[in-house]
């Protein structure tokens, strides 16, 4: 009897040793697997993990996509690290050289694939919406246009007017694949209001512009110059004219007014355009127009609320992106003669003579 018990004990010890050896070998294999790098294709691998996907199914999906080499070892690694409850659904982009441990960490962090687009400063709503529609998000242009035309939507997004014009902030954005047109437009409005609050915190004493007036003036400043250093001075000119009751007489508002009247955008302004009455035509209507004419960037918003100190009432383009500033009509007329009349007369003369002097 004693011999039988001893033999059974020996068998148990041997079985335990074998099990222990097997466990150690398995742990070594899992550890080596988890830290072995896998080099992915140059374009990366995109994988969508549906909601409710279990660790075993996920391990098989990752192996089938070539992101890991062994689904069983990955599953064992996920169990060992108790990572299953932390893994998140979504669309993921795996790039470069990754270890299985790094793959699991990316899935646990929820670092999903993002789709980016960039909107430059100074664009109108009708120019911005096609950028969103042609981006990798593939937003529906008709839906974007429907929301932009819905007079209730801008107010729900936080705009103090029934139009999105001027409030789709120019920036680079990143969204997940499932972002909706409403979410994207709302985010762009929120960014514009964020930048307004930053500019408002630096508002110059005595500047009484409302939020809508700020965006309106900033949009005009944005369209008048692409030179960052000029924006505060151009803003000063407009503030001086507003304070003295002088019409702003700024060409971008005329162009915008004619677009509203005719449905066609054109940068060419005629004398008839200048004389055509319209709320947005600052040659015929005093004060600021009813709303923005484009989307201003941060620098233009800051300039609108913190203009430079100056006596200028006029500015004239040098035709190179910069301007001559003048405090008097005499100075302005001289600048017009030099930089508009004579400049273009000489240019036409040079074109006729093939550039000879």
């Amino acid at each position: 009897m004693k011999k039988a018990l001893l033999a059974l004990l020996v068998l148990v010890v041997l079985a335990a040793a074998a099990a222990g050896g097997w466990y150690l070998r398995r742990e070594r294999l899992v550890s080596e697997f988890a830290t072995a790098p896998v080099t992915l294709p140059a374009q990366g691998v995109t994988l969508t993990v549906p909601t409710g996907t279990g660790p075993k199914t996920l391990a098989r999906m990752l192996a089938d996509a070539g992101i890991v080499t062994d689904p069983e070892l990955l599953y064992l690694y996920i169990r060992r690290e108790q990572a299953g409850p932390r893994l998140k659904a979504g669309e993921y982009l795996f790039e470069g050289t990754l270890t299985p441990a790094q793959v699991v960490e990316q899935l646990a962090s929820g670092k999903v694939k993002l789709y980016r687009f960039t909107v430059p400063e100074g664009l109108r709503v009708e120019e911005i919406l096609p950028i969103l529609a042609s981006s990798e998000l593939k937003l529906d242009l008709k839906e974007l246009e429907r929301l932009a035309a819905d007079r209730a939507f801008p107010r729900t997004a936080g705009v103090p007017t029934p139009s999105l014009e001027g409030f789709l902030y120019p920036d680079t954005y990143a969204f997940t694949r499932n972002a909706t047109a409403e979410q994207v437009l709302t985010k762009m409005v929120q960014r514009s209001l964020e930048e307004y609050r930053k500019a408002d915190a630096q508002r110059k004493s005595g500047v009484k512009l409302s939020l809508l007036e700020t965006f309106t003036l900033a949009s005009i400043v944005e369209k008048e110059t692409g030179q960052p250093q000029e924006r505060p001075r151009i803003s000063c000119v407009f503030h001086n004219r507003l304070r003295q009751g002088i019409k702003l007489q700024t060409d971008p508002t005329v162009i915008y007014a004619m677009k509203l009247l005719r449905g066609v955008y054109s940068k060419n302004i005629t004398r008839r355009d200048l004389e055509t009455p319209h709320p947005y035509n600052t040659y015929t209507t005093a004060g600021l127009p009813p709303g923005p004419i484009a989307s201003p960037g941060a620098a233009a918003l800051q300039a609108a609320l913190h203009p430079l100190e100056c006596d200028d009432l006029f500015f004239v383009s040098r035709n190179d992106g910069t301007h001559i500033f003048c405090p008097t009509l005499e100075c302005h007329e001289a600048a017009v003669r030099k930089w508009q009349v004579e400049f273009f007369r000489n240019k036409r003369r040079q074109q006729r003579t093939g550039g000879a002097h």
Side-chain angles (χ1 to χ4, degrees), residues 144-217:
L144 290 165
E145 291 173 341
R146 185 192 69 77
L147 289 168
D150 182 351
R151 293 175 65 83
F153 173 70
R155 293 191 184 278
T156 63
V159 177
T161 177
S163 172
L164 289 174
E165 193 74 270
F167 290 90
L168 298 180
Y169 187 70
D171 203 355
T172 296
Y173 294 88
F175 290 90
T176 57
R177 166 66 78 190
N178 59 353
T180 65
E182 185 171 347
Q183 289 170 338
V184 171
L185 293 178
T186 299
K187 177 61 178 178
M188 296 179 75
V189 170
Q190 290 172 347
R191 283 289 295 115
S192 71
L193 297 178
E194 287 173 13
E195 292 302 324
Y196 168 77
R197 287 189 288 271
K198 292 177 185 177
D200 189 41
Q202 303 297 322
R203 181 189 290 257
K204 190 174 182 178
S205 176
V207 174
K208 305 297 184 183
L209 298 179
S210 68
L211 186 150
L212 179 58
E213 289 170 336
T214 299
F215 275 87
T216 301
L217 179 56

Side-chain angles (χ1 to χ4, degrees), residues 24-195:
L24 291 174
R25 285 196 300 275
R26 189 187 74 173
E27 286 300 294
R28 185 175 68 254
L29 284 172
V30 170
S31 295
E32 290 174 352
F33 164 79
T35 55
V38 175
T39 300
L40 300 174
Q43 71 274 18
V45 179
T46 297
L47 181 70
T48 299
V49 180
T51 301
T53 301
K56 184 164 283 190
T57 301
L58 177 59
R60 171 55 60 188
M61 290 171 60
L62 289 164
D64 290 344
I67 299 167
V68 299
T69 56
D70 191 313
E72 294 301 325
L73 288 176
L74 180 64
Y75 174 63
L76 291 174
Y77 175 76
I78 292 172
R79 286 190 58 188
R80 189 186 78 180
E81 300 299 315
Q82 298 181 339
R86 296 188 291 119
L87 303 179
K88 298 176 177 64
E91 184 182 32
Y92 292 85
L93 174 63
F94 299 97
E95 295 180 291
T97 299
L98 296 173
T99 65
Q102 290 172 323
V103 169
V104 171
E105 181 56 34
Q106 183 173 338
L107 290 161
S109 69
K111 187 181 177 183
V112 294
K113 183 177 181 179
L114 296 176
Y115 294 87
R116 292 175 170 80
F117 63 84
T118 299
V119 175
E121 291 89 348
L123 298 186
R124 305 182 310 282
V125 168
E126 66 184 84
E127 297 174 293
I128 294 172
L129 300 186
I131 294 176
L132 311 189
S134 64
S135 72
E136 290 184 321
L137 279 175
K138 295 180 170 54
L139 297 175
D140 184 74
L141 181 58
K142 290 185 178 179
E143 175 63 8
L144 290 165
E145 291 173 341
R146 185 192 69 77
L147 289 168
D150 182 351
R151 293 175 65 83
F153 173 70
R155 293 191 184 278
T156 63
V159 177
T161 177
S163 172
L164 289 174
E165 193 74 270
F167 290 90
L168 298 180
Y169 187 70
D171 203 355
T172 296
Y173 294 88
F175 290 90
T176 57
R177 166 66 78 190
N178 59 353
T180 65
E182 185 171 347
Q183 289 170 338
V184 171
L185 293 178
T186 299
K187 177 61 178 178
M188 296 179 75
V189 170
Q190 290 172 347
R191 283 289 295 115
S192 71
L193 297 178
E194 287 173 13
E195 292 302 324

Side-chain angles (χ1 to χ4, degrees), residues 199 217 221 231-233 235-236 239 298-308:
L217 179 56
V221 171
R231 290 185 182 121
R233 192 165 183 180
S235 177
C236 171
H239 275 278
L301 287 167
Q302 292 163 12
L305 290 176
H306 200 105
L308 190 73

